[in-house]
Amino acid sequence: MLLILDCCEHVIEAAAALAERLYQAAPELHILATSRELLRVEGEFTYRLPPLPSPPEKIVLTAANALAYPSVKLFVERATAGGGEFALTDANASDVGNLCRRLDGIPLAIELTAGHVGAYGARAMVQLLDQHLNLLWEGRRTALPRHRTLRATIEWSYNLLSDAERVILGRLSVFVGSMTLDAVRSIAAGSEDDDTILAIIDSLVAKSMLALNTGSQPTRYRLADSTRAYAQEKLAASGDSEAVARRHACYFLGLLEKIGDEANRDLSTVAEEFGNVRAALTWCFSDQGDRRAGVALAAASIPLFFKLSLLAECELWVTRAIEALDDTNGGIRQGLVLHTALGAARMLTGQLDELGANHLRRALELTERIGDIPGQIRLIDQLHLLQLFVGKYDDAFGIAKRGEAIALANNDSNAVARMRVLLSISCQYLGKFVASRSYVEKALRHTGLDKDVLSGLTLEYPKRAQITLARVLWLQGYPDQATRIVRRAISDVIAANHPVMFCRALPWAFGVFFWNGDLEDCEEHIDRFVVEARRHNLAILQLVGEAMKGITLLARNETGVGLAMLKGSIEKLHSLCFGAVAGFRMPLADALAATGHGDEALDTIDQAIAQAQHCNFMMDMPDMLCTRAKALMRKSNPDLSQAELSLIRALDLARHQGALGYELRAAIALARLWQRGDRRREAYDMLAPVYQQFTEGFQTRSLVAARGLLAELNPPRSRSFAAK
């Protein structure tokens, strides 16, 4: 015989006594008891019913793959059973997955919520969940009273708790997401001693009001969102909410400050606490909050925001903290980190204005006031990047020289190496490639160059020096070495698993892939780059990524979509005052010339050259002059003499810069022009010496083209070379 004791938690003592007596007296009897807590009797075996699996947060959902999750399947079944117009589609699959995850996979909660999706729509219901309206939605008329609304279900269980358990449950509602036992003991305790708190936590877990995740290290606890919403109401009614919120904020401030003081801090250990840090900041800057604690917490949270690449949110809280800084008599060091973070966050989110620059300059003044040399080096790094973004390349070189002088004066070899990487980057923008290589090779002699890149507030990224070296190696005629270095470097950056660093590194590496024609290797990275930049609101970098994508599409002859994407990106970058936009106008002009729009191509490249000359952006000038020559040859009234002059200027400039890679491209274009004019011998004699300077890279696009052209020109005295 099978006896079922269903939902017996409200009579748990009597049910336990009955079950044990029957178990002892009737050996052929089987008992199935459902309850929020164990009977704790002889012969009991426990099966904990887990919530229905829901889609993880960062997965891309379609209608097809969403139905693989039981919670979504139940949601769809109950939503369609109500006779509404709901249908699961690719467009709403992510919202439905979000709903099921927010409802913790609880079948009753999903059933009650799904019954109203036809009236509101999935996206609107996500917002309604934030307002806790789901606690009131009604289910089946024939259900037991405690199952007709989610509120009634929770209230049923809540009323079975002791007064002490209700108090602690209310205090735990201050947590967002999961919590450690240490946090629980620090924040839930009022007048109770530690043993009492531990006993109550154990009881709440036993009664299924508090979930326990033993798989994590350390063990973490969690309230279901619906239970938390109900408990928050009770906490507010108790008058204890402000004291609990204050303890919560102070606990996480202490935790962040402790990690910040560690020599080898590991922010991954506190990343799980981000929801609680955000909740603490929200309370601190509310009308009832503590501004002083908020300023300190915002300053302590900055490394975590950068670790998680949440720069727009970092800007929000840091701005509030700076506004409150004077009111709270915040210290110089707090002001320093706040101004630094705000300047860096504004820059990376595309706000290239004086406000961001002023915050960085203010922070630099504070580092000088307190003699913080590492802080000065970090800020010079950020100001250098800002100058690059806005196209002030001479100023960027000047500030890197200032950083080098500071580092040398303080005998800081690591800082000297970092500043020499900046000098190398500046020299590349200025077209000084010999100096660029000299600086970066000196920097790479310092073995600890990438030390501490992944910790703290920094806009650096792993292997920045190696990518810088790879670029200059290609420009000087070593394409194979450049490719090997840049592939290894990008692999290391990806392994760091830091979206902002990845989005900083790839555009600098892209040139090597593009110059070599290795776009297949790079295109997958570009797609990921655009997604990450969009997700983390990196406005400038997102547009750079879209421009790179447009360039790769043009290289694959997908002209229509490639032109549209590249044009759109250039217009937006120009509107944001992005300095290096001239470099993107060059492939646009190339594509326009190739598709028969020579006049438009000429206007585009002339605009790029004028802009580049204005800000001394000489890095791509030889290629710009080559592009101008192509446009002159493709315009409605071709001007071959001016095209020849542009190519000769490109060739001379590339030689002056020591850019053999650019020199070869200019020489190929000039040789083809002379070939058209039946000047084959001159073309050969000009191109062959350039080709002969190469010792590697003979399978790359430019060298293959040069070899083929030399074979076509093929004067009798040099047949063997041309066929080599």
Side-chain angles (χ1 to χ4, degrees):
M1 183 176 181
L2 174 65
L3 173 65
I4 299 177
L5 306 176
D6 191 23
C7 293
C8 60
E9 60 267 14
H10 59 301
V11 287
I12 195 71
E13 297 295 337
L18 174 63
E20 187 166 81
R21 184 171 179 185
L22 290 172
Y23 173 79
Q24 294 169 344
E28 295 299 315
L29 178 68
H30 299 274
I31 303 171
L32 176 63
T34 68
S35 172
R36 294 188 70 94
E37 60 179 310
L38 303 180
L39 296 178
R40 297 205 300 271
V41 296
E42 181 186 355
E44 182 178 22
F45 291 87
T46 304
Y47 175 76
R48 290 193 177 274
L49 190 64
L52 297 176
S54 299
E57 191 169 355
K58 292 187 177 180
I59 192 172
V60 177
L61 286 179
T62 63
N65 65 19
L67 285 171
Y69 296 92
S71 60
V72 175
K73 189 174 181 181
L74 174 63
F75 186 98
V76 173
E77 286 175 357
R78 300 318 304 157
T80 53
E85 297 296 323
F86 176 79
L88 185 68
T89 65
D90 291 346
N92 65 19
S94 293
D95 291 321
V96 171
N98 192 14
L99 280 169
C100 293
R101 184 171 57 253
R102 292 283 306 280
L103 294 168
D104 300 290
I106 299 171
L108 177 61
I110 291 171
E111 180 175 337
L112 293 174
T113 305
H116 296 268
V117 71
Y120 299 101
R123 178 150 300 179
M125 289 184 67
V126 174
Q127 298 171 341
L128 291 174
L129 276 182
D130 292 333
Q131 302 167 29
H132 306 149
L133 295 183
N134 58 308
L135 296 179
L136 304 175
W137 283 331
E138 294 187 353
R140 294 191 302 272
R141 296 181 191 277
T142 55
L144 292 171
R146 66 177 181 270
H147 288 167
R148 288 181 186 170
T149 70
L150 190 53
R151 173 181 290 280
T153 300
I154 297 168
E155 200 160 59
W156 160 267
S157 300
Y158 182 83
N159 288 335
L160 297 176
L161 302 178
S162 67
D163 289 342
E165 289 168 340
R166 293 176 190 176
V167 168
I168 299 304
L169 185 70
R171 292 174 185 170
L172 295 182
S173 70
V174 75
F175 287 98
V176 176
S178 62
M179 61 203 92
T180 63
L181 181 58
D182 180 62
V184 168
R185 292 162 71 181
S186 297
I187 297 162
S191 58
E192 303 84 358
D193 60 35
D194 195 50
D195 288 341
T196 301
I197 293 294
L198 290 174
I200 291 173
I201 294 301
D202 188 52
S203 178
L204 290 173
V205 171
K207 294 177 179 179
S208 304
M209 296 298 286
L210 186 64
L212 173 65
N213 180 8
T214 56
S216 62
Q217 291 297 326
T219 298
R220 300 184 73 87
Y221 299 84
R222 189 178 188 280
L223 285 174
D225 283 352
S226 50
T227 303
R228 176 175 177 263
Y230 182 88
Q232 277 184 320
E233 292 181 9
K234 297 298 183 182
L235 177 64
S238 73
D240 199 22
S241 56
E242 183 176 330
V244 173
R246 188 180 302 279
R247 289 203 298 271
H248 179 264
C250 291
Y251 174 82
F252 286 103
L253 171 60
L255 181 65
L256 288 167
E257 287 181 338
K258 178 182 176 184
I259 292 174
D261 290 338
E262 294 174 358
N264 298 308
R265 60 182 172 188
D266 181 9
L267 290 171
S268 60
T269 59
V270 78
E272 283 190 84
E273 310 293 358
F274 178 72
N276 285 300
V277 171
R278 176 190 279 157
L281 284 165
T282 301
W283 177 80
C284 285
F285 290 104
S286 69
D287 291 340
Q288 298 78 33
D290 182 340
R291 292 289 194 279
R292 186 185 297 276
V295 169
L297 183 58
S301 303
I302 288 166
L304 181 59
F305 280 113
F306 274 75
K307 166 75 175 176
L308 300 175
S309 300
L310 297 172
L311 301 183
E313 187 166 353
C314 180
E315 182 183 348
L316 167 70
W317 296 117
V318 169
T319 299
R320 293 186 181 179
I322 289 174
E323 290 170 353
L325 197 57
D326 293 336
D327 297 336
T328 59
N329 297 315
I332 289 179
R333 291 193 178 276
Q334 281 184 345
L336 166 60
V337 297
L338 291 169
H339 285 290
T340 301
L342 185 52
R346 287 183 66 85
M347 173 171 42
L348 286 176
T349 53
Q351 300 168 86
L352 305 182
D353 52 22
E354 276 302 299
L355 179 58
N358 288 338
H359 282 293
L360 292 177
R361 294 188 191 107
R362 174 62 177 153
L364 186 56
E365 289 172 7
L366 293 173
T367 60
E368 291 168 347
R369 188 186 302 178
I370 62 176
D372 180 2
I373 302 303
Q376 290 179 50
I377 295 299
R378 283 194 299 273
L379 281 158
I380 284 172
D381 196 336
Q382 292 173 35
L383 283 165
H384 176 268
L385 178 60
L386 180 59
Q387 302 291 15
L388 295 182
F389 273 5
V390 299
K392 296 181 178 179
Y393 303 112
D394 290 309
D395 290 349
F397 181 82
I399 198 164
K401 286 296 288 183
R402 176 181 171 184
E404 183 190 37
I406 292 170
L408 287 168
N410 288 275
N411 295 316
D412 188 335
S413 59
N414 188 49
V416 170
R418 288 169 59 192
M419 293 301 99
R420 285 177 175 164
V421 175
L422 301 191
L423 287 165
S424 177
I425 292 169
S426 295
C427 285
Q428 285 197 31
Y429 278 97
L430 296 170
K432 300 176 181 178
F433 303 127
V434 174
S436 175
R437 182 169 176 180
S438 174
Y439 278 124
V440 76
E441 286 181 338
K442 287 177 182 176
L444 284 165
R445 291 176 196 149
H446 184 75
T447 55
L449 193 57
D450 280 340
K451 183 182 178 183
D452 299 330
V453 166
L454 295 176
S455 66
L457 171 56
T458 176
L459 300 184
E460 291 186 72
Y461 51 88
K463 309 302 178 185
R464 178 167 59 165
Q466 286 82 350
I467 295 173
T468 303
L469 176 62
R471 288 176 56 87
V472 79
L473 283 173
W474 188 95
L475 291 164
Q476 292 189 325
Y478 302 98
D480 288 345
Q481 292 181 58
T483 301
R484 285 195 298 271
I485 291 171
V486 85
R487 283 178 178 168
R488 280 199 304 269
I490 287 297
S491 294
D492 290 344
V493 173
I494 291 171
N497 194 29
H498 192 294
V500 172
M501 291 182 179
F502 173 69
C503 291
R504 285 272 289 108
L506 189 63
W508 196 229
F510 174 74
V512 175
F513 291 108
F514 180 68
W515 293 329
N516 270 1
D518 297 335
L519 296 182
E520 289 184 9
D521 290 341
C522 192
E523 198 161 6
E524 182 179 341
H525 297 326
I526 293 173
D527 290 337
R528 176 184 171 186
F529 174 101
V530 173
V531 169
E532 294 286 12
R534 184 181 297 121
R535 177 180 295 155
H536 296 287
N537 195 31
L538 307 176
I540 290 288
L541 295 176
Q542 179 186 334
L543 293 171
V544 168
E546 290 171 0
M548 293 191 301
K549 180 66 175 179
I551 291 168
T552 60
L553 290 170
L554 289 171
R556 290 201 280 106
N557 296 318
E558 295 185 29
T559 307
V561 64
L563 271 175
M565 183 172 285
L566 184 54
K567 274 185 178 179
S569 302
I570 288 171
E571 289 170 3
K572 293 172 186 174
L573 285 168
H574 179 72
S575 70
L576 292 171
C577 302
F578 182 65
V581 70
F584 290 127
R585 295 190 194 279
M586 182 176 58
L588 175 61
D590 249 334
L592 289 168
T595 54
H597 298 85
D599 293 329
E600 186 182 353
L602 185 60
D603 289 341
T604 300
I605 196 61
D606 281 346
Q607 186 179 358
I609 290 171
Q611 183 182 0
Q613 289 173 336
H614 175 72
C615 61
N616 207 13
F617 175 57
M618 300 302 290
M619 178 166 61
D620 293 333
M621 188 57 73
D623 258 12
M624 288 184 185
L625 292 168
C626 287
T627 298
R628 186 173 191 274
K630 294 176 191 174
L632 286 162
M633 289 187 279
R634 297 290 184 90
K635 70 175 193 163
S636 52
N637 295 309
D639 191 338
L640 299 185
S641 62
Q642 284 298 313
E644 182 180 5
L645 286 174
S646 285
L647 290 172
I648 291 171
R649 283 180 60 201
L651 195 63
D652 290 344
L653 180 58
R655 285 171 179 162
H656 175 73
Q657 292 177 336
L660 185 59
Y662 282 157
E663 186 181 348
L664 179 65
R665 284 147 72 110
I668 291 170
L670 184 58
R672 283 177 174 155
L673 179 61
W674 284 351
Q675 183 185 31
R676 287 173 58 182
D678 202 23
R679 298 163 65 183
R680 299 166 63 90
R681 175 62 62 86
E682 289 178 75
Y684 184 89
D685 289 345
M686 179 272 302
L687 177 59
V690 180
Y691 180 90
Q692 287 174 314
Q693 293 179 62
F694 283 85
T695 58
E696 64 179 59
F698 294 105
Q699 301 309 311
T700 58
R701 181 174 55 184
S702 294
L703 284 164
V704 168
R707 188 163 59 248
L709 182 54
L710 286 167
E712 291 175 23
L713 298 171
N714 195 19
R717 63 187 177 86
S718 300
R719 284 183 190 278
S720 60
F721 172 76
K724 180 179 174 182

